Structure formats: structure tokens, C-alpha cells
Amino acid sequence: MKKAVSVLLSIIFIISLAACSGGNSSKDGEKNVSIMTPFLSSVTTNEMVEALKKQAADHGWKANVIDTKGDVGQLASRMEDVIASKTDAIIIVSTDPNQLKAQIQSAKEKNIPVMGCDAGYIEGMTMNATSDNTEMSKMITTHLFDTIGKKGNLVALTYRAHPGVLKRTLFLDQMLSENADVKKVTEMQVEVPGPIESARKQMESLLLANKEPGSITAVWTGWDEPAIGAAQAIEASGRKDIVVIGIDGNSQAVEMIKKGSPLIATVKQNFPGMAEIVAQQLDLVFQGKAVEGTELYAPASLITKDQG
């Protein structure tokens, strides 16, 4: 009888251990986090990915970075792969989640949280951390319009496929509708990957087509890399009558601003702060708790030659 009880207790102990270890995707309870983007070549996207990798390491998670080099269709396919492999979480970086609706829904059905880092939020995701893109656009666009005296000819270089850049551009549209003396000469979509080179070539062509002084007063860009390319083209042409603004606060742009190039201002985003927010919210999810919000913002600040 004692032997039977002993065997039964041993079985119960083993079952208890198994129950405690259930749900872990790897030994010792280590969580596997898939960090996914099509734009790792972007300076700012790379900064976020590196910050997310550090956050993962600090939390004891294993980070798997997947870059599809500008191919969003391939990103959807790779997302299906990590879902099938039962990753513990997915973080999409600088990506429009509307292009991944089916995959996000599939992840939700399998209880795999999908977080965004400077992406966007749609139904099925857990949350997204970003900057307040409308507020950043208000900050930089107001500064630009004030600089040119709320009149002149404007070129817009943007990429409306990115959810954050879209919000910035929509606010520019609003400002243009409220300031009739600022005329939009043209709006061009920048190629991604390769936004600096793309914007430089676009600007070179625009300068050739608009040689008269005042034909272009300012260049509004959706983020810093096209601002850098446009400023390089303007500087090389010798034109002194055109100013450029960007958004992101990447180091090359800030250096150009401080040196007095045609690039006069940017808004610095807190990309490490976004990564930290994502990691904090993912940690809550791993603890079985609710996130603190579906769209959380890291603060941003204006940088000009004299401030920031």
C-alpha cells in the first residue's frame, strides 16, 4: 500500500512540473520574440531594431530579426513562417499593419501577440508604440510656414504607404488648405529602400525644371532621409533660396542643420523610447496582464540650428 501511494505521489509531482513548464517555447522558459521589418536599411528603423534587441536581452528573451529588404509581400510570408513555428510574440517595425491583416488575425487566433514599433494599430494587434505623428507634423510644418512667411512654392517628398508618414502628410494637406499663399508645386513619392539617393535625384530634376529664383521656396519631407537627399542636391546646385525640413532627428540630419545647410529643422523622435514602451507592454502580456493602451506615444522635440 505504501509503495502504491509513493508511486502515485511521484506521478502527481511529475505532472505538476509539466504543468508549471507548459507554454514556454524553449527550455528554461525563454521567450522567442520575432522582430520583423522590410526596412532595416533605414537608419531610424535600424535604430529601433537595435533598441528592441537590447530590450529583449534585458528581459531575457531571444530576439529573431527578420528583414525582407523592402518586400512587404515577403514580410507577410515570413510572418506566416514565424506563426507556424509558434513564436511567442511578433513585433513589426516601420510597417503598415493593413498590409498584414490576414497574418495578424492568424497570430491572434493562436494567441501570439503582435506589437507595433512606429508601425500603426489595427484590430487584432496588441498595441503600437510610436510618436504622435500629427503633432510632429504640426510642429515642423508650422515652423516651416513661419520661416517662409506663410507664402511661397512648396515641394513635398513623402511616402504615404507608411502609416506614420501618411499622418504627417495629411496634416501638411490641412495646413496647405488653410494657407492659400503657400502653393504645392508637386508631391513626389520617395523610393524605399534608398530614400536619400531617390530624393537627391528627384530634387536634381526639380531644380533643373524650376531654375527661376523663387520657383521653389521650400521642401517639406516626410522624414529625414529624403530631407538629406534634397538638401544635398540643393547645396550642390548653389541655390541659396530654398529651405528643407524633415522629421526623425537622425544624426546626419542634425549635423547638417547645425552646419547651416539648406536643411533647417527636424523633429527628433525617441526611437529607443518606443522600443522601451513595446518591451514594457510585452512584458505585461507575458505576465498575463493587459496592455496600458493600444496606441502609446514617446515624446518628440523640435531641432533647429539654435535649439535642440
Side-chain angles (χ1 to χ4, degrees), residues 5 18 29 62 64 70 81 87 101 107 115 138 142 144 149 154 171 189 194 197 199 201 206-207 220 232 246 274 292:
V5 172
K62 182 179 179 181
N64 176 32
D81 291 342
T87 186
K101 281 183 177 179
M115 325 287 278
K138 180 180 180 180
T142 300
L144 177 63
L154 182 78
F171 186 81
Q189 176 160 297
E197 182 181 2
K201 289 179 178 178
L206 287 167
L207 291 169
W220 183 100
Q232 289 173 341
M274 292 179 205
E292 296 170 325

Side-chain angles (χ1 to χ4, degrees), residues 38-50:
F39 303 128
L40 192 61
S41 62
S42 164
V43 172
T44 51
T45 300
N46 186 70
E47 182 180 355
M48 280 183 280
V49 169
E50 289 301 315

Side-chain angles (χ1 to χ4, degrees), residues 290-305:
V291 295
E292 296 170 325
T294 55
E295 189 90 84
L296 300 176
Y297 297 137
S301 55
L302 181 69
I303 293 179
T304 66
K305 190 174 182 180

